[in-house]
Amino acid sequence: MKTRILLIALAAVALLSSCCGQGQECCQQGNEQANGTIETIMARRSIRKYKSTPVSRDTLNVILECGINAPNGQNRQSWEVRVVDNPATMEQIKEIMAQANPDMNPAGVKGCFRDAPVMLFIARDPSYQFSAYDVGLLSENVMLSAWSLGVGSICLGMPIRFIAGNEACAPVLDMLAFSEGYELCLCIGLGYADEAPEAKPRDMGKVKFLD
Ligand SMILES: Cc1cc2nc3c(=O)[nH]c(=O)nc-3n(C[C@H](O)[C@H](O)[C@H](O)COP(=O)(O)O)c2cc1C
């Protein structure tokens, strides 16, 4: 328990002081805006190439605690997360999915996970109207806290397309063992980045102030 508190404290310090480089230009426009949280948000990118270096469970626990501390409707915590960091288990899941989608190139199906060494499978409680938002907010906390600790991430909708509603993928859902009624909703890959992609453009025109 003490170790976990220490790790969370260290993560908080890292979050406040992190400087991943790519977001600095934005943050330095005004000194009053420069802080670690903004830098982390602006520097995070989706990572699709990973080193094989494993992510320690201590680090993963910090990231996951940040995830479940996301705001969520009525604090129902209408999510469940399964963490797969064992390459053999991940390979088993990929193999079932490849066989369950015979019309697809098996390498393409397996590639939907982007070879991230850690995969989070996140399910939601569909009986709660806002559970998809809860999952989204948890996911963002996961990805930002990961980035602040030097761990890259990728949010993945594609695996859900291959698994959801596909009877032949039932063994995958059995392995994940979510609670009765929960629906697989999103995956997040985590690992140490082996690429440094440029930021994709964003359209500030989508935001308007009302005078
Ligand atoms: C709900 C959702 C699903 C996504 N699914 C995939 C996916 O299946 N494969 C993938 O490579 N990227 C996926 N992405 C990542 C987006 O392509 C990426 O976030 C976007 O292009 C912006 O790039 P950035 O994250 O580097 O800022 C997904 C992102 C979200 C939010």
Side-chain angles (χ1 to χ4, degrees):
M1 188 62 186
K2 270 188 185 163
T3 319
R4 182 168 291 188
I5 290 168
L6 182 66
L7 278 164
I8 290 170
L10 284 173
V13 171
L15 193 63
L16 287 171
S17 62
S18 71
C19 177
C20 299
Q22 294 168 10
Q24 271 186 307
E25 198 179 309
C26 157
C27 298
Q28 284 171 353
Q29 281 169 5
N31 267 347
E32 70 284 0
Q33 286 179 7
N35 71 61
T37 304
I38 292 174
E39 284 177 4
T40 299
I41 289 169
M42 298 308 293
R44 182 213 56 82
R45 299 271 70 85
S46 290
I47 298 301
R48 296 182 176 86
K49 277 191 187 147
Y50 291 91
K51 295 178 179 157
S52 54
T53 321
V55 184
S56 77
R57 290 233 171 150
D58 282 345
T59 300
L60 289 174
N61 275 318
V62 172
I63 292 168
L64 290 158
E65 292 231 22
C66 289
I68 62 169
N69 273 280
N72 64 95
Q74 300 172 341
N75 198 30
R76 286 177 182 230
Q77 302 167 66
S78 63
W79 51 53
E80 285 189 359
V81 183
R82 300 292 177 259
V83 185
V84 179
D85 61 352
N86 177 336
T89 307
M90 198 59 222
E91 195 46 48
Q92 224 180 320
I93 289 173
K94 287 180 187 170
E95 194 54 50
I96 295 168
M97 287 171 61
Q99 287 184 19
N101 291 277
D103 299 342
M104 304 282 299
N105 174 354
V109 176
K110 293 181 176 188
C112 77
F113 291 105
R114 305 289 185 186
D115 288 332
V118 179
M119 193 55 54
L120 308 186
F121 293 83
I122 308 172
R124 71 183 185 102
D125 174 2
S127 72
Y128 179 49
Q129 182 186 10
F130 297 125
S131 58
Y133 306 133
D134 289 348
V135 167
L137 290 163
L138 173 147
S139 301
E140 184 69 338
N141 269 20
V142 162
M143 292 185 281
L144 290 177
S145 59
W147 191 268
S148 79
L149 295 172
V151 177
S153 66
I154 177 80
C155 189
L156 296 167
M158 194 57 85
I160 313 305
R161 292 209 173 136
F162 289 130
I163 298 172
N166 186 334
E167 260 307 302
C169 277
V172 173
L173 295 175
D174 289 345
M175 286 166 78
L176 298 173
F178 291 115
S179 295
E180 185 70 30
Y182 272 66
E183 271 179 8
L184 182 61
C185 180
L186 201 60
C187 291
I188 299 178
L190 294 167
Y192 293 101
D194 202 15
E195 63 168 358
E198 290 294 318
K200 292 188 179 165
R202 298 302 208 261
D203 179 7
M204 196 55 187
K206 299 241 178 204
V207 181
K208 297 211 189 304
F209 288 87
L210 299 190
D211 289 325

